[in-house]
C-alpha cells in the first residue's frame, strides 16, 4: 500500500550535495502539497478540488534547450544531432555546482518514485524540486513505492529541478536561460529556467528510452489498453494525435496513456499517472478525462479559470493551446491496477495529418509498419513545444517520439519488428487529423468516427473486410466500417476540390520520400518498396 504519511529515506539529500537547506519536505501527501502550494502562492483551488497553476512564458517543452553530456560510457550509443545535442562534462559540472548553491537556504520537496510497472525493469527515480505543486505533479505521474521501499530508497537516477534558476548562455554554454541537462554517467538530470512540468516527465522518459533497449526492452511513446478478452492494444503517436483520448475507452481497461515498455513479459506502463491535453475538453466527448478535472489531487496546468467562481473555460487558449491535466491513473474508472498487459494483438499508429490527405484508417503490412514507425509522420500541434505558432506544422518525428529517443531510431525499429513478428501483432495507421481539406479548410476527424474505426479494428470486425489500395500512398484502406459513413473512409471523396486534393497529396508523398532517405541504408529492400514514393 502507498505510504499514508511522509517517509524519509535513509539515503538523504546530502548524498546529492544538497546542504544548508531551509527545509527538506519528503514524499509529501496530496493534502500537504496542496497546503504548501496554496500557502506559497503557487496555485489556486478550483471548483471541484483541482489545483490550478500557471507556468509563465514556458507553456510547453523547450527541445532546443535539452542537452546530453558527451561522456565515454554513453557517447557511442547516443544519436547525436539536432535532437540530442552534445554538452561538455565541464559545463555540466559547473551548472551542477550553481544549482547546489541555488538550493542553499531554500526549501526542497523530495519525491522518491519508480518508473516502470514491471518490477523486473523498474527504475528508482528521485525528483527534487523547489515547488510543492511540481512535487505533486511528479507524485501523480510516477509510481508510488510502499512504506518499506521508501525507507531504504536509494535512487538510480536523480532529477534536480529549479525553475527559478536561469542559465547564462555565454557562461554556461546553453541555448537560452532554460536548460535540461542529462548525464548518464553521473545518473543525474538538471532542469532549470522553466516551470513547465512536462520537462520532468519527459526527462524520465528519455532515461527509460536510453536504458531499456540495452536490456532488450522496446521503449515506446504510446498508450495501451486491454479488451474484455484480454487482448492488448498499443497506440503510438505524438502529443495531440489522440493517444490519451482513444486509450481511455470505457469498454477497455487502461494500462497507461503515454509511455510503455514491451519486454519478454509483455507490455508495462512507465508511469503511474496521466498528463492529458484538455484544450476543448468536454464532458460529452471525453467523460473519463473530464471527470478528473473535478477531483482533489488533479493538477490543471495553464487552464483558464474564473477568478471568482473558480470554474474552468476549457475552450480558451488564452494562456496556451497546450493546457494540461495531471492526475493519478486511479482516477480513471477502468484502469489496470498492475499497469501491465500481455503482448499486443493490435498496434495503432496515430497521425494528425494537417494536410487532410491520408485515409482515416488503413491496414499496414509488416514492412509498411516499419516504414511508418521510422517516418513518424504527424503534425506538431500548437503549444506542445515553445516556438510553435497557432497552426499545426507537418513534421516527421521518427518512432513517433524523436525528441525523447537518445539512441538511433533503427534500434527501436529493430526491436519493434522482432516483437511484431514473434507475436503476430496486426498494425493499423489511423489519421485523427483533417478531412475534406487541409487545416483551415477541412474539418478535424470526428472523434466518434475515429473511435468506431479503432473499435472495429481491435474487435476484429475489419479482419474480413475487403480493402482498396490508395493510389497515392499505397495504403490498404477498408471499404466499409461499422458506424462510419463510406465516404469518410476515402479521403479524396471528402474533398470538394478533387484537383486540390491531388496536388496536396502529391506534395505529401514527396515529403515522405525525402524524409525517408536518411533511413534507406538501414532497412531492407522490402521496407523501402513498401514505403510512400513521390507521385508523378
Amino acid at each position: 500500500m502507498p505510504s499514508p504519511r511522509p517517509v524519509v529515506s535513509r539515503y538523504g539529500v546530502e548524498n546529492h550535495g544538497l546542504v544548508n537547506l531551509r527545509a527538506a519536505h519528503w514524499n509529501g501527501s496530496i493534502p500537504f502539497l496542496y497546503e504548501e502550494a496554496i500557502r506559497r502562492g503557487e496555485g489556486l483551488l478550483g471548483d471541484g478540488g483541482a489545483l490550478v497553476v500557471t507556468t509563465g512564458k514556458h507553456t510547453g517543452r523547450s527541445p532546443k534547450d535539452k542537452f546530453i553530456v558527451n561522456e565515454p560510457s554513453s557517447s557511442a550509443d547516443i544519436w547525436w544531432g539536432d535532437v540530442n545535442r552534445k554538452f561538455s562534462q565541464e559545463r555540466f559540472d559547473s551548472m551542477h555546482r550553481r544549482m547546489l548553491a541555488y538550493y542553499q537556504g531554500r526549501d526542497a520537496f523530495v519525491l522518491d518514485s519508480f518508473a516502470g510497472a514491471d518490477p523486473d525493469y523498474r527504475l528508482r527515480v528521485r525528483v527534487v524540486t523547489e515547488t510543492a505543486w511540481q512535487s505533486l505533479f511528479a507524485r501523480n505521474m510516477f509510481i508510488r513505492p510502499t512504506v518499506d521501499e521508501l525507507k531504504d530508497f536509494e535512487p538510480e537516477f536523480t532529477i534536480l529541478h529549479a525553475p527559478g534558476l536561469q542559465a547564462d548562455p555565454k557562461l554556461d554554454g546553453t541555448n537560452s536561460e532554460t536548460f535540461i541537462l542529462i548525464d548518464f554517467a553521473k545518473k543525474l538530470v538538471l532542469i532549470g529556467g522553466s516551470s513547465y512540468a512536462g520537462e520532468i516527465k519527459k526527462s524520465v522518459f528519455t532515461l527509460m528510452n536510453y536504458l531499456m533497449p540495452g536490456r532488450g526492452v522496446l521503449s515506446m511513446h504510446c498508450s495501451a489498453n486491454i479488451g474484455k478478452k484480454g487482448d492488448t492494444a498499443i497506440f503510438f503517436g505524438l502529443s495531440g494525435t489522440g493517444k490519451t483520448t482513444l486509450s481511455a475507452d470505457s469498454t477497455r481497461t487502461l494500462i497507461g496513456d503515454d509511455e510503455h515498455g514491451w519486454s519478454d513479459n509483455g507490455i508495462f506502463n512507465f508511469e503511474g499517472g496521466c498528463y492529458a491535453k484538455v484544450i476543448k475538453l468536454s464532458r460529452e466527448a471525453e467523460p473519463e478525462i473530464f471527470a478528473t478535472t473535478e477531483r482533489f489531487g488533479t493538477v490543471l496546468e495553464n487552464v483558464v479559470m474564473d477568478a471568482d467562481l473558480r470554474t474552468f473555460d476549457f475552450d480558451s487558449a488564452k494562456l496556451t493551446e497546450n493546457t494540461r491535466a495531471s492526475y493519478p491513473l486511479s482516477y480513471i474508472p477502468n484502469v489496470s491496477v498492475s499497469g501491465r498487459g500481455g503482448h499486443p494483438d493490435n498496434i495503432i499508429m496515430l497521425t494528425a495529418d494537417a494536410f487532410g490527405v491520408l485515409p482515416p484508417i488503413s491496414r499496414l503490412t509488416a514492412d509498411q509498419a516499419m516504414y511508418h514507425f521510422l517516418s513518424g509522420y504527424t503534425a506538431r500541434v500548437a503549444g506542445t513545444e515553445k516556438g510553435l505558432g497557432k497552426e499545426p506544422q507537418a513534421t516527421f518525428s521518427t518512432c513517433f517520439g524523436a525528441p525523447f529517443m537518445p539512441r538511433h531510431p533503427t534500434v527501436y525499429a529493430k526491436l519493434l519488428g522482432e516483437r511484431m513478428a514473434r507475436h503476430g501483432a496486426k498494425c493499423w495507421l489511423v489519421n485523427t487529423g483533417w478531412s475534406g481539406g487541409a487545416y483551415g479548410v477541412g474539418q478535424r476527424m470526428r472523434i466518434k468516427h475515429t473511435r468506431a474505426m479503432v473499435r472495429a479494428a481491435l474487435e476484429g470486425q475489419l479482419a474480413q473486410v475487403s480493402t482498396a489500395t490508395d493510389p497515392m500512398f499505397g495504403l490498404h484502406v477498408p471499404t466499409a466500417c461499422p458506424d462510419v459513413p463510406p465516404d469518410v473512409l476515402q479521403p479524396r471523396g471528402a474533398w470538394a476540390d478533387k484537383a486540390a486534393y491531388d496536388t496536396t497529396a502529391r506534395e505529401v508523398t514527396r515529403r515522405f520520400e525525402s524524409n525517408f532517405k536518411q533511413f534507406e541504408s538501414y532497412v531492407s529492400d522490402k521496407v523501402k518498396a513498401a514505403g510512400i514514393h513521390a507521385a508523378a
Side-chain angles (χ1 to χ4, degrees):
M1 294 292 292
S3 171
R5 61 187 182 279
V7 178
V8 179
S9 168
R10 295 184 178 95
Y11 191 85
V13 292
E14 66 278 359
N15 290 285
H16 308 298
L18 291 167
V19 296
N20 300 323
L21 298 175
R22 183 166 61 188
H25 304 285
W26 284 83
N27 297 307
S29 65
I30 293 175
F32 170 78
L33 293 172
Y34 258 70
E35 290 171 354
E36 289 296 309
I38 293 171
R39 183 176 68 84
R40 295 161 187 264
E42 297 172 7
L44 295 170
L45 190 64
D47 182 42
L51 182 67
V52 186
V53 300
T54 57
T55 62
K57 70 176 184 178
H58 291 277
T59 57
R61 290 181 296 102
S62 298
K64 294 181 180 179
D65 295 310
K66 175 185 166 185
F67 298 87
I68 296 175
V69 174
N70 184 18
E71 51 81 25
S73 72
S74 63
S75 183
D77 296 321
I78 303 299
W79 181 38
W80 298 112
D82 292 338
V83 171
N84 300 303
R85 295 171 173 82
K86 292 181 179 181
F87 205 71
S88 74
Q89 188 72 66
E90 181 182 11
R91 280 180 159 161
F92 179 91
D93 293 342
S94 174
M95 199 71 238
H96 186 198
R97 289 191 294 270
R98 284 190 59 198
M99 184 170 282
L100 295 178
Y102 174 84
Y103 259 103
Q104 292 197 37
R106 299 176 186 269
D107 286 6
F109 293 85
V110 186
L111 182 91
D112 290 333
S113 58
F114 294 127
D118 187 338
D120 290 345
Y121 301 102
R122 183 168 282 173
L123 183 71
R124 299 186 302 276
V125 179
R126 174 169 290 171
V127 180
V128 180
T129 186
E130 62 177 318
T131 62
W133 84 261
Q134 282 162 327
S135 192
L136 175 59
F137 170 88
R139 191 186 198 280
N140 282 349
M141 296 311 303
F142 305 124
I143 297 170
R144 297 287 296 144
T146 64
V147 173
D148 288 340
E149 289 169 334
L150 284 172
K151 289 176 181 176
D152 296 313
F153 194 95
E154 183 173 341
E156 295 171 271
F157 273 83
T158 300
I159 296 177
L160 299 182
H161 182 256
L165 175 61
Q166 295 188 337
D168 181 338
K170 292 182 179 179
L171 176 66
D172 300 312
T174 56
N175 180 62
S176 73
E177 74 280 358
T178 300
F179 57 94
I180 304 98
L181 310 177
I182 301 174
D183 188 331
F184 286 112
K186 294 193 171 182
K187 300 185 176 181
L188 181 63
V189 181
L190 307 177
I191 303 174
S194 172
S195 292
Y196 179 66
E199 299 289 13
I200 299 173
K201 166 186 163 67
K202 289 306 186 186
S203 291
V204 173
F205 188 36
T206 300
L207 298 179
M208 295 295 277
N209 285 329
Y210 175 74
L211 296 169
M212 290 297 102
R215 302 182 63 186
V217 176
L218 171 61
S219 51
M220 305 175 291
H221 191 210
C222 71
S223 58
N225 61 26
I226 308 172
K228 294 178 181 178
K229 298 180 180 179
D231 56 300
T232 298
I234 58 176
F235 301 75
F236 284 105
L238 282 179
S239 173
T241 58
K243 290 193 315 302
T244 298
T245 299
L246 293 171
S247 57
D249 183 335
S250 61
T251 67
R252 297 177 66 87
T253 299
L254 180 69
I255 300 174
D257 81 324
D258 197 42
E259 305 169 5
H260 293 80
W262 188 353
S263 73
D264 290 341
N265 300 335
I267 297 296
F268 65 97
N269 195 358
F270 287 169
E271 301 181 295
C274 297
Y275 191 42
K277 285 198 73 172
V278 293
I279 190 70
K280 301 188 185 303
L281 180 70
S282 71
R283 192 186 302 274
E284 294 72 28
E286 300 175 79
E288 292 89 357
I289 298 174
F290 191 93
T292 68
T293 68
E294 301 172 322
R295 292 285 300 270
F296 183 75
T298 293
V299 177
L300 293 180
E301 192 178 57
N302 297 313
V303 172
V304 172
M305 180 177 69
D306 184 286
D308 296 321
L309 299 177
R310 304 292 178 91
T311 54
F312 311 120
D313 183 357
F314 290 113
D315 291 332
S316 176
K318 180 180 179 181
L319 298 177
T320 178
E321 291 272 350
N322 192 34
T323 54
R324 294 276 178 170
S326 164
Y327 49 88
L329 269 167
S330 59
Y331 285 13
I332 297 294
N334 195 21
V335 67
S336 167
V337 176
S338 70
R340 300 168 66 180
H343 298 289
D345 295 86
N346 286 281
I347 297 170
I348 308 290
M349 294 182 178
L350 300 168
T351 178
D353 174 29
F355 292 104
V357 293
L358 285 181
I361 187 168
S362 47
R363 172 78 180 265
L364 301 182
T365 66
D367 293 322
Q368 285 178 322
M370 289 298 95
Y371 177 89
H372 285 278
F373 181 72
L374 284 170
S375 296
Y377 171 70
T378 190
R380 289 186 297 175
V381 179
T384 56
E385 294 179 8
K386 185 184 176 185
L388 288 182
K390 294 291 185 181
E391 297 185 1
Q393 297 179 11
T395 190
F396 293 88
S397 185
T398 187
C399 309
F400 294 96
F404 324 117
M405 303 295 170
R407 297 177 182 265
H408 195 277
T410 53
V411 171
Y412 308 100
K414 182 180 179 182
L415 284 167
L416 177 62
E418 290 172 350
R419 297 200 176 281
M420 283 184 64
R422 188 185 310 166
H423 300 289
K426 297 179 288 293
C427 191
W428 308 83
L429 182 68
V430 173
N431 175 22
T432 63
W434 280 258
S435 176
Y439 177 85
V441 177
Q443 300 294 321
R444 193 78 190 254
M445 293 282 182
R446 296 183 68 179
I447 185 64
K448 73 173 186 178
H449 289 158
T450 301
R451 284 193 185 279
M453 288 182 280
V454 169
R455 188 177 304 115
L458 300 189
E459 293 178 357
Q461 294 175 324
L462 297 183
Q464 304 304 320
V465 173
S466 63
T467 62
T469 302
D470 185 281
M472 288 288 188
F473 302 101
L475 297 168
H476 306 292
V477 183
T479 55
C481 178
D483 301 319
V484 179
D487 60 326
V488 172
L489 297 172
Q490 299 296 330
R492 190 174 188 271
W495 283 54
D497 187 339
K498 302 298 190 286
Y501 170 87
D502 293 340
T503 300
T504 304
R506 280 194 291 269
E507 173 58 28
V508 172
T509 65
R510 284 192 286 270
R511 294 191 183 208
F512 267 98
E513 185 175 78
S514 176
N515 171 74
F516 202 75
K517 290 184 185 299
Q518 63 183 306
F519 301 120
E520 286 184 344
S521 63
Y522 296 95
V523 301
S524 69
D525 289 341
K526 287 185 177 181
V527 172
K528 284 185 281 189
I532 293 173
H533 304 283

